[in-house]
Amino acid sequence: MRIWKTGPVAGVLVLLASSAISAADLPGKFPGVTIDAKLIGGQQYEPLYARISEWEKETGAKVNILSKKNHFELDKEIKSDMASGDISWCVGSNHSSFAPQYPDLYTDLNKLLSKDEIAKFVDSTIEASTIDGRLIMLPRAQFDVSALYYQKSLYNDEAKKTAFKTKYGYDLAPPKTWKEVSDQATFFANPPNFFGTQFPGKEEAINGRFYEMLFAEGGEYLDKDGKPAFNSEAGVRALDWFVNMYKAKAVPAGTTNYLWDDLGAGFASGTVALDLDWPGWATYFNDPKSSKIAGNVGVVVQPVGSSGKHTGWSGHHGFSVTEACKNKDAAASLVWFLTNDDSQKLEAANGTLPTRKAVWDWDIQQAVSDPYKKEVLSTFQESMKYAFPVPRTPQWIEISNVVYPELQAAILGDKTSKQALDTAAQKATDVLKDAGAL
């Protein structure tokens, strides 16, 4: 998925509503209008939200943030709103992995934004944001595929290099395979004070990590007929990786309760050697104000499994406008503002990957005199070659919700990997049958 290809950018935003907004009026004037929003929360998103006051000043409108939660909690809240018919808000955070669940909740942005403006975004992200021909979200500068961060000093320690080669028979170097990650994570671990690696242990987060490890082991999550197929030999090998890391105490004991912010804080604390994580953490990890390992961070392309395939579960964040919104013009203006060039430059400066073509040019130029950012950007550009989305089923999140407790059961030792996957596959099959997908 080579989303860094760039080209000339042309066009301006035009809001195709009852009264089109001219180029001179961008982002438009909406005095007295209040836009209610439900947004993803987390420290890495706050710099962008600080720009909302600029939009308010320029447009005369106000933004009322009703919720600010992680995507898992936000998803539950949105589904509750849908079930009760209480959709009174206008703008919501969205994600390519979650979007297929609510195709009718959000309006088609093709009707509100000009073709020229939409063409400024990387084509693959617009394609992934389009369901049944409807553009249901605008991508923000948050294209996600995980690469492997590591503490460089561990690989420069002569005593560790000697001890590692004596034990494992090969040189200690940043890992290229998941077998090497296993060896090194076990070698570096010194619980309860230091751990070799970590992973998220609940919600879609652990199901997604299992999914990409399954892919790297040569397996498939759903077969060609859309039936669960992850309870295979490849699936057992994939799940065993998590089980073995937990059993070896190479990961924190509380990992089955971890989500993304826990992982970011853990690696930044200096107590974890290797961390498969998203590009949005890059600046945070290397900032002495937030990280104890600033200046000691390296990053390499995500490793390969036994099949020779890389992990590469990916997706992107965005913003959507509800069909029920009474002020779609203003809402679309806000969504545009939060994903325009200036907003994407702000987010990209903090390490995330842009989804606007022109901002890729800018980002590459910024990295020329910054060795760390240059390393991060080049690594994630390579990592993107191996990126792949979740299965394109509206039931992905619902399947995740029944699968992840079974993955947890295996990790904690309550079931074998095969037992857990067989049960998970049956539960996933029931979800698909109930939805009429099988």
Side-chain angles (χ1 to χ4, degrees):
M1 188 177 295
R2 303 182 182 215
I3 76 165
W4 60 93
K5 182 180 285 189
T6 58
V9 179
V12 295
L13 175 67
V14 178
L15 292 177
L16 304 176
S18 56
S19 57
I21 297 177
S22 69
D25 292 330
L26 289 175
K29 299 295 182 184
F30 310 100
V33 170
T34 297
I35 296 297
D36 290 335
K38 295 196 172 188
L39 305 177
I40 185 172
Q43 66 82 25
Q44 67 266 46
Y45 307 112
E46 289 305 317
L48 176 63
Y49 298 157
R51 290 206 75 211
I52 290 176
S53 61
E54 297 178 39
W55 180 83
E56 291 176 325
K57 184 177 180 180
E58 290 190 47
T59 64
K62 295 294 181 183
V63 177
N64 178 33
I65 299 177
L66 301 175
S67 300
K68 196 182 286 185
K69 301 176 179 179
N70 69 52
H71 245 313
F72 307 110
E73 294 303 317
L74 193 63
D75 176 61
K76 294 171 185 176
E77 183 174 313
I78 289 172
K79 286 176 179 173
S80 177
D81 290 347
M82 293 171 67
S84 66
D86 183 24
I87 309 296
S88 57
W89 45 278
C90 278
V91 170
S93 288
N94 210 340
H95 191 280
S96 56
S97 294
F98 288 76
Q101 300 176 103
Y102 8 78
D104 300 324
L105 173 63
Y106 295 119
T107 198
D108 183 5
L109 293 171
N110 285 311
K111 297 179 180 179
L112 297 170
L113 303 174
S114 72
K115 291 182 179 179
D116 286 342
E117 186 61 29
I118 292 170
K120 293 179 180 180
F121 291 86
V122 173
D123 295 342
S124 62
T125 61
I126 291 298
E127 181 181 352
S129 300
T130 300
I131 298 176
D132 296 330
R134 300 169 65 250
L135 179 62
I136 49 78
M137 68 173 171
L138 274 193
R140 65 189 290 178
Q142 291 271 347
F143 183 92
D144 281 338
V145 63
S146 293
L148 192 68
Y149 295 92
Y150 64 95
Q151 290 197 40
K152 293 191 292 187
S153 59
L154 295 172
Y155 294 86
N156 296 325
D157 186 310
E158 293 300 327
K160 282 184 170 61
K161 289 196 286 187
T162 299
F164 183 86
K165 187 164 187 178
T166 298
K167 183 172 183 178
Y168 293 98
Y170 64 93
D171 291 332
L172 179 61
K176 296 181 179 180
T177 71
W178 282 104
K179 173 62 168 62
E180 291 175 2
V181 173
S182 298
D183 292 344
Q184 294 179 21
T186 304
F187 175 77
F188 289 133
N190 184 25
N193 300 314
F194 194 83
F195 299 94
T197 190
Q198 56 183 355
F199 52 79
K202 63 180 182 179
E203 307 282 1
E204 187 227 13
I206 181 58
N207 190 40
R209 286 289 186 240
F210 165 72
Y211 163 61
E212 65 179 335
M213 192 69 77
L214 170 70
F215 180 88
E217 289 298 316
E220 57 182 353
Y221 199 93
L222 301 179
D223 66 17
K224 61 181 177 60
D225 297 318
K227 297 178 181 179
F230 51 75
N231 55 332
S232 58
E233 291 183 5
V236 170
R237 290 196 303 272
L239 183 50
D240 277 349
W241 185 87
F242 301 91
V243 171
N244 292 338
M245 288 293 93
Y246 188 84
K247 188 182 297 184
K249 297 183 179 180
V251 298
T255 196
T256 49
N257 292 313
Y258 284 8
L259 287 174
W260 306 121
D261 282 358
D262 304 297
L263 301 183
F267 188 64
S269 74
T271 61
V272 177
L274 298 158
D275 180 36
L276 182 72
D277 224 322
W278 311 106
W281 289 105
T283 298
Y284 183 86
F285 290 153
N286 208 45
D287 185 346
K289 295 178 182 178
S290 56
S291 175
K292 293 183 179 180
I293 53 172
N296 187 34
V297 182
V299 60
V300 292
V301 173
Q302 67 271 29
V304 300
S306 64
S307 71
K309 297 177 182 178
H310 292 263
T311 51
W313 167 40
S314 70
H316 66 272
H317 292 251
F319 296 102
S320 299
V321 175
T322 62
E323 193 68 69
C325 179
K326 295 179 180 179
N327 295 287
K328 289 187 177 68
D329 291 4
S333 171
L334 175 61
V335 166
W336 166 81
F337 189 85
L338 293 174
T339 60
N340 69 10
D341 281 7
D342 288 341
S343 289
Q344 295 224 356
K345 287 177 181 178
L346 174 67
E347 294 208 272
N350 288 322
T352 61
L353 303 182
T355 58
R356 277 180 170 255
K357 298 170 184 175
V359 182
W360 267 103
D361 289 336
W362 173 89
D363 209 16
I364 291 169
Q365 292 171 1
Q366 301 305 302
V368 171
S369 59
D370 185 336
Y372 175 71
K373 184 166 185 177
K374 188 174 182 179
E375 176 186 2
V376 168
L377 196 58
S378 63
T379 298
F380 277 101
Q381 284 182 328
E382 182 67 18
S383 296
M384 285 171 148
K385 294 179 182 180
Y386 312 109
F388 50 87
V390 301
R392 294 293 284 179
T393 170
Q395 286 73 48
W396 167 251
I397 297 298
E398 193 174 353
I399 289 172
S400 292
N401 290 340
V402 298
V403 168
Y404 88 78
E406 297 301 323
L407 303 179
Q408 287 180 325
I411 292 167
L412 295 172
D414 297 331
K415 292 183 178 181
T416 67
S417 291
K418 179 59 174 169
Q419 289 170 339
L421 292 177
D422 283 344
T423 302
Q426 183 57 58
K427 290 182 176 180
T429 299
D430 292 342
V431 166
L432 291 165
K433 285 182 176 179
D434 290 344
L438 288 180

